[in-house]
Amino acid sequence: MGSNNNSHRSPKASQRLRELLADSNRIVVAPGVYEGISARIALSLGFDALYMTGAGTSMSRLGWADLGLATQHDMVEQAEMLANINPSVPLIADADTGYGGPVAIARTVSKYARAGVAALHIEDQVQEKRCGHLLGKEIVPREVFYSRIQAAVNAREELGLDILIIARTDSRQSYGFQEAYERLRRAAEIGADVVFPEAMTSKQELADMVRLMGSTPCLLNMVTKGATPELSVDEAKELGFRIIIFPISGFGGAIKGITESLTTLKNTGREPVDLIGVKEAFELCGLNDCIELDKRAGGKALAGIR
């Protein structure tokens, strides 16, 4: 069920993201969300877009670290829920390696687009991948990476979809800056809408990549305590990045808050006095929308809630 803040006249999320990228004076800020509550909070704060983190999805759905354990099914199901809480707000989603060869990648693009995802990113790690800011990543040959991007572009065109394709390279760590640039340059020539240089190690490298990519929009992955220097939104905009994602902002905050709450319970036998109440939590997650929907349809089941 979508929020009643949406309108059937609202542009598609992919179209909205394209409009945001067309404005050269702004940078799209997308906090990391991984389940319904984090998405609801981000939407309530009015962010331009949301970012579905693969790491957060793996941890929240499977209880395991981001080591390539989440399947295409896990990711599509989570993306569909997140994208449709408010379908007018673009969701940028991690699609890992595309979950297989060209046929599987075409299927991934189709499923993500039909789930309501505005943009997805596909990377050049091997299938047994890991988080981009962990050591020991293995990278596929250029030709395999280009085949992945070509398969995604072909699927979009053949199926008449509007989803944006983001090409991500993790090759900086193993093969250096020049290799990362060459891969992203070619991916943009193939048809990627945005490029994603993962784990650049200095501010100068970030600036150089944006400069070298010219008119192709660049995405900055801002991972707390990761390989990339930590920049603010304004600093990233000054360097010329067009999208900045903060994948840890949601689950990192949740881990900290839940740990503090449960520690208080363990140590005192009581919940913290400043916890969010159940009604306030329900209101965040659409209670009032549901009451109004029920009322407009002539229902009475929810009339007594407030």
Side-chain angles (χ1 to χ4, degrees), residues 98-213:
Y99 311 107
V103 174
I105 290 169
R107 189 164 176 263
T108 295
V109 171
S110 173
K111 283 180 170 289
Y112 271 58
R114 293 189 167 114
V117 172
L120 59 76
H121 63 75
I122 295 176
E123 67 199 46
D124 56 1
Q125 288 195 54
V126 297
Q127 295 292 341
E128 298 78 20
K129 60 147 290 174
R130 63 191 64 188
C131 169
H133 288 255
L134 294 177
L135 298 176
K137 294 180 291 186
E138 294 183 58
I139 308 301
V140 298
R142 287 187 186 187
E143 293 70 24
V144 175
F145 177 49
Y146 301 155
S147 175
R148 290 175 181 176
I149 301 304
Q150 188 71 68
V153 170
N154 289 350
R156 176 177 63 185
E157 293 176 354
E158 290 165 6
L159 297 172
L161 305 172
D162 192 44
I163 189 170
L164 283 81
I165 295 166
I166 302 171
R168 164 177 155 172
T169 184
D170 288 69
S171 60
R172 165 63 184 89
Q173 188 181 76
S174 299
Y175 300 110
F177 176 88
Q178 188 63 28
E179 178 69 16
Y181 163 64
E182 291 294 342
R183 288 182 177 227
L184 295 182
R185 179 190 61 78
R186 178 60 186 141
E189 289 176 353
I190 291 168
D193 302 282
V194 178
V195 295
F196 179 166
E198 177 66 310
M200 297 287 107
T201 58
S202 71
K203 189 173 180 179
Q204 186 61 56
E205 284 190 347
L206 294 171
D208 288 345
M209 185 62 77
V210 172
R211 175 179 56 80
L212 288 167
M213 290 308 305

Side-chain angles (χ1 to χ4, degrees), residues 28 44 120 132 145 147 258 264:
V28 177
S44 74
L120 59 76
F145 177 49
S147 175
I258 293 169
T264 298

